[in-house]
Amino acid sequence: MTKIILLVIFLLSIASAHADTMDSSQGQLKLERMASGFDVPWAIDFLPNGAALVTERAGRLNYVLGQNKFRIKGVPRVVARGQGGLLDVLVPGDFHQSRQLFLTFSKSQGNGSGTALAVAALSNDFKRLTNLRVIFEASPSSSTSRHYGARVIESTDGTLFLTLGERGERDSAQDLSRHQGSVIHLNRNGGTPASNPFVTRRDSQPQIWSYGHRNPQGMAFDRRGRLWVVEHGAKGGDEINLIRKGANYGWPIISYGRHYSGAKIGEGTSKPGMQQPVWYWDPSIAPSGMMIYSGKLWPSWRGHFFVGSLKLDFLSRLSGESLTEKERLKGAATGRIREIAEAPDGSIWFASENDGAIYRLTPAN
């Protein structure tokens, strides 16, 4: 009997080591560590069976379901340097039929690298990617190793949107002959939709949907089907933008931030013909992933925005027609948050770079 009691105490101690609580406007949240041992976990998406797919920037794709965790083989070769590597993962809505996954990554291009999008089929045992092919890569290449952007999302019509940073080459964001510093719009096979705004212009890349972006690393659709991105400013001026077809978001001509040297950026904070952010942070929080919540577990948060901070170690919750920050969720595990995602059951998952772990939030009661 004594041995049984000691065993129960030991098991409870293990469970408590992986669970904690966090205060919020909706009461206490249960915080659970779902998996650990990742080297810069960058993205999370979910399979229909409830498993999480987790990318590591070093070039690994992982399958996580309960205690079952393993590495999926067959990922593309990446340039794992600076901010580059294996970045986003997307499970499309027709995964049941297609078995397809989409991956963004930094791809070698001559003497430089560029953001690329690949599609592959996931084997029935979830252990290998097959028929991998690159369906888009940004042009021209860049010799820098920063600002790849690289979030990918599926629209209701099955087309794809992909964010591209300006690679630290600021003027490229205003140059329509270059992909850098834009949100691009692709058909499922990588082709260009005929509805794209610059598809008939010879001096433009036809995949561009919007431009003038610095480094957008979060993207989501709201309940009305509108597309939003969150992007890094320089020293101040991190932005949430409502994306409009053909619109110019101003970088580096306008910004609410300053260069890291303290120098003024461009011409100020506004200019005719350039879009204003719906929300901006100053000082910067270094925003990463973004999620717009369904309301499944917390109905009062339906339609609210959640953004991870890489710099200040919290989850930002924003809401309202004009979009304002309402709350900062912070706890022992919210260090350098790279990604935030909603699971099919309505729980909120996030990736922490500090300890290389994946966490889940649910109501504590």
Side-chain angles (χ1 to χ4, degrees), residues 199-236:
V199 72
T200 61
R201 286 181 50 169
R202 292 186 177 181
D203 62 344
S204 302
Q205 294 284 3
Q207 300 90 350
I208 293 176
W209 185 260
S210 65
Y211 64 107
H213 300 284
R214 185 173 182 268
N215 189 25
Q217 289 194 334
M219 182 165 51
F221 281 106
D222 66 14
R223 290 178 293 163
R224 295 162 56 182
R226 299 179 300 176
L227 183 63
W228 298 79
V229 302
V230 61
E231 55 189 285
H232 290 263
K235 189 178 181 181

Side-chain angles (χ1 to χ4, degrees), residues 45-268:
D45 205 357
F46 298 93
L47 293 168
N49 68 350
L53 297 179
V54 181
T55 63
E56 294 177 80
R57 201 167 65 195
R60 293 181 286 271
L61 176 64
N62 302 276
Y63 177 98
V64 178
L65 181 61
Q67 298 301 310
N68 193 13
K69 173 189 170 186
F70 55 81
R71 191 176 301 168
I72 298 171
K73 298 179 180 179
V75 300
R77 181 175 295 179
V78 307
V79 179
R81 184 173 65 247
Q83 296 174 5
L86 184 61
L87 303 173
D88 208 3
V89 56
L90 168 66
V91 180
D94 70 348
F95 176 83
H96 269 307
Q97 294 77 36
S98 69
R99 302 289 301 182
Q100 286 187 332
L101 300 177
F102 292 88
L103 296 166
T104 67
F105 63 104
S106 52
K107 181 180 181 295
S108 178
Q109 297 174 319
N111 294 325
S113 63
T115 305
L117 175 65
V119 63
L122 182 60
S123 61
N124 290 330
D125 63 2
F126 305 105
K127 293 185 176 180
R128 179 176 294 277
L129 297 179
T130 62
N131 300 320
L132 181 88
R133 55 195 174 91
V134 175
I135 59 173
F136 170 82
E137 53 186 287
S139 177
S141 67
S142 172
S143 60
T144 77
S145 58
R146 59 188 183 273
H147 297 187
Y148 288 92
R151 290 290 175 191
V152 61
I153 194 169
E154 182 183 25
S155 181
T156 53
D157 64 4
T159 58
L160 305 174
F161 287 89
L162 171 65
T163 65
L164 300 175
E166 35 75 295
R167 304 301 307 283
E169 298 168 341
R170 293 190 292 268
D171 292 341
S172 67
Q174 292 294 320
D175 184 351
L176 288 171
S177 70
R178 303 165 66 94
H179 284 122
Q180 285 81 2
S182 68
V183 174
I184 67 166
H185 184 215
L186 301 168
N187 288 325
R188 177 72 174 259
N189 63 1
T192 302
S195 61
N196 280 7
F198 307 111
V199 72
T200 61
R201 286 181 50 169
R202 292 186 177 181
D203 62 344
S204 302
Q205 294 284 3
Q207 300 90 350
I208 293 176
W209 185 260
S210 65
Y211 64 107
H213 300 284
R214 185 173 182 268
N215 189 25
Q217 289 194 334
M219 182 165 51
F221 281 106
D222 66 14
R223 290 178 293 163
R224 295 162 56 182
R226 299 179 300 176
L227 183 63
W228 298 79
V229 302
V230 61
E231 55 189 285
H232 290 263
K235 189 178 181 181
D238 297 334
E239 299 179 353
I240 296 180
N241 285 304
L242 175 59
I243 300 303
R244 295 182 171 89
K245 177 180 178 178
N248 181 352
Y249 289 81
W251 179 259
I253 298 172
I254 61 172
S255 174
Y256 283 88
R258 302 184 75 86
H259 292 301
Y260 292 108
S261 66
K264 179 182 175 181
I265 293 174
E267 301 176 16

